[in-house]
Amino acid sequence: MEYFLQQLINGITLGAIYGLIAIGYTMVYGIIGMINFAHGEIYMIGAFIALGTILAIGPVGAGAVVLAILLALLVAMMLTATYGWMLERVAYRPLRGAPRLAALISAIGMSILLQNYVQLTQGARVKTLQPLVAGGFTLMEHDGFEVSLSYMQILIVVATIALMTIFTLVITRTALGRAQRACEQDSTMAALVGINVDRTIALTFVMGAALAAVAGLMVTLYYGVIDFFIGFVAGIKAFTAAVFGGIGSIPGAILGGLLIGLIEAFWSGYFSIEYKDVAAFSILVLVLLFRPTGLLGRPEVEKV
Amino acid sequence: MLDLRGVETFYGHIQALRGVDLHVGEGEIVALIGANGAGKSTLLMTVCGKPAPRAGSIRFQGKELAGRSTHEIMRTGIAHAPEGRRIFPRLTVLENLQLGALTAAPEHFATDVERVFTLFPVLRQRSGQRGGTLSGGEQQMLAIGRALMSRPRLLLLDEPSLGLAPMIVQHIFRVIRDINETAGVSVLLVEQNAYHALRLARRGYVLVNGRITLSGEGAALLDNPEIRAAYLEGGARSDKAGTGA
Ligand SMILES: Nc1ncnc2c1ncn2[C@@H]1O[C@H](COP(=O)(O)OP(=O)(O)OP(=O)(O)O)[C@@H](O)[C@H]1O
Ligand SMILES: [Mg+2]
């Protein structure tokens, strides 16, 4: 029971991070109908910027930790968003209207380029960070086994819920969100009502990148270890989460992220840690066999 | 107010418009008729820059539109209710209208939406419903309402009567006349139903294979035997009935 609870907590934390990255995949897919394969790298860059900012701030007292994290969050979100914007500008916009395969190859190229860029400028060795947010609660103790919930885990889950709420409100309630949904559904008509479609697409990349930066900061703080390659696996997992939840759906992305996180945590907790990725992907395949549109995806039955 | 000169539009290698000259005056209703594939929808879309013309000039209220991007063109006072209605299917009726009002000043929204609901009362009842779940006629009303929300000086309408019951067609044509007369909105109207269109319009143009072949007063075109034979289903039928009797 204790063990189960502990894995549940770990799984939810991990899942929240996947979910944050998955939102970027799902939003961009929604608006241009394409997987942004360089999104994992955007997340990785977010982690590096967050780490760099924290190291630049230097050691801070316990009272200033919150401020330092907020500053790192702000810097990481803004700079990573700039990368997201440039990525769209350089790799996607020139290929608008070209065959999908061209944009796909361009995205994979950007992914390799960004990886190498970080490897060259930051080095190939792992970067580490002393834990900034230490400690937590012990929820229960039994036969020498403790169930603990760290402050960091609380921070990750709370931040994810807050961001998901904000983003859902932006998309459902604001003029920007309305423009995004319009571009998603009919970009020609969107232009005909006066929406600047290119700008709306760019803003979607910016929003996705900013969320990936939050995930990058969280991972840096949670694990304290990053390298130039973390975007690859996390990207594939988050992409899987987006498909799992139903690509195009934001609640689906978070749900998919949580499920992938939980599957991973339980599988490595009860079976074997080596096969945790296989487990996640197998369950994905099973879900897609029975629900090709993902868990919260919308079945295509509409009169247009 | 709208002046096209020598407009040429291509889809890849296929030429859809071949040197089109067309004029819509201030406060005028102008009809554009022609067979399927003649290029009528292409002409309206070319005014909006989608696709952009490869040659020629499109001037609107003295400003050149050719070469500008669609979202800029739609801010100059032109609104388009395009072929196929193109309602945003997963947005509500109200959201569709809000998008129509994107280029208008926000303080007009309440009065403008009220005006659309008065013109098309059924839209008020459906305002929270998703656009994709409306009937064809309701979608057409929404398409026109959405176009009106931008407070256009020129309204482009592509086959607003297509597939609708005669009652609804009448209603829609009455609304077009009404917004032209009371708000002074100019209208460029594409219609299969040449009889209705030419009665509503002051002037008309006939498009054949991407070229304007005839133009003139609506009433004169209606009396033109060529047009009667080619585009007036009703006229052709009554002629046949006449010879048969
Ligand atoms: N997106 C496109 N790509 C390639 N060719 C196109 C495209 N749209 C239209 N065409 C071609 O351009 C020509 C004119 O088409 P358009 O839709 O303007 O005709 P139309 O007069 O509106 O016909 P209809 O009465 O059937 O609506 C046609 O030959 C059509 O096949
Ligand atoms: Mg047409």
Side-chain angles (χ1 to χ4, degrees), chain A residues 194-252:
Chain A
I195 293 171
N196 184 339
V197 176
D198 278 341
R199 192 173 133 260
T200 309
I201 292 175
L203 280 174
T204 307
F205 273 80
V206 161
M207 287 163 76
L211 284 182
V214 179
L217 171 74
M218 300 297 179
V219 158
T220 306
L221 293 175
Y222 190 46
Y223 294 113
V225 189
I226 59 171
D227 64 34
F228 71 95
F229 204 61
I230 57 167
F232 179 71
V233 179
I236 290 189
K237 298 260 182 67
F239 166 58
T240 308
V243 175
F244 202 166
I247 191 117
S249 151
I250 288 185

Side-chain angles (χ1 to χ4, degrees), chain B residues 214-232:
Chain B
L214 265 175
S215 65
E217 301 279 311
L221 287 178
L222 266 180
D223 288 336
N224 184 315
E226 263 180 72
I227 296 202
R228 293 186 76 88
Y231 304 109
L232 295 177

Side-chain angles (χ1 to χ4, degrees), chain A residues 178 181-182 185-186 188-196 298 302-303, chain B residues 70-71 74-75 82 86 88-91 95 98-99 102 132 134 146:
Chain A
R178 205 152 50 226
R181 285 179 290 145
Q185 294 172 29
D186 185 343
T188 299
M189 191 60 226
L192 286 179
V193 296
I195 293 171
N196 184 339
R298 113 191 92 74
E302 244 146 20
K303 171 171 70 179
Chain B
T70 302
H71 67 93
M74 303 325 278
R75 282 167 196 270
R86 300 192 96 136
F88 297 109
R90 294 184 299 285
L91 297 184
E95 284 173 327
Q98 283 172 323
L99 281 168
L102 192 89
L134 297 186
R146 180 177 61 188

Side-chain angles (χ1 to χ4, degrees), chain B residues 40-41 83 158-159 190:
Chain B
K40 306 180 296 294
S41 302
E83 181 162 47
D158 199 337
E159 306 203 26
V190 165

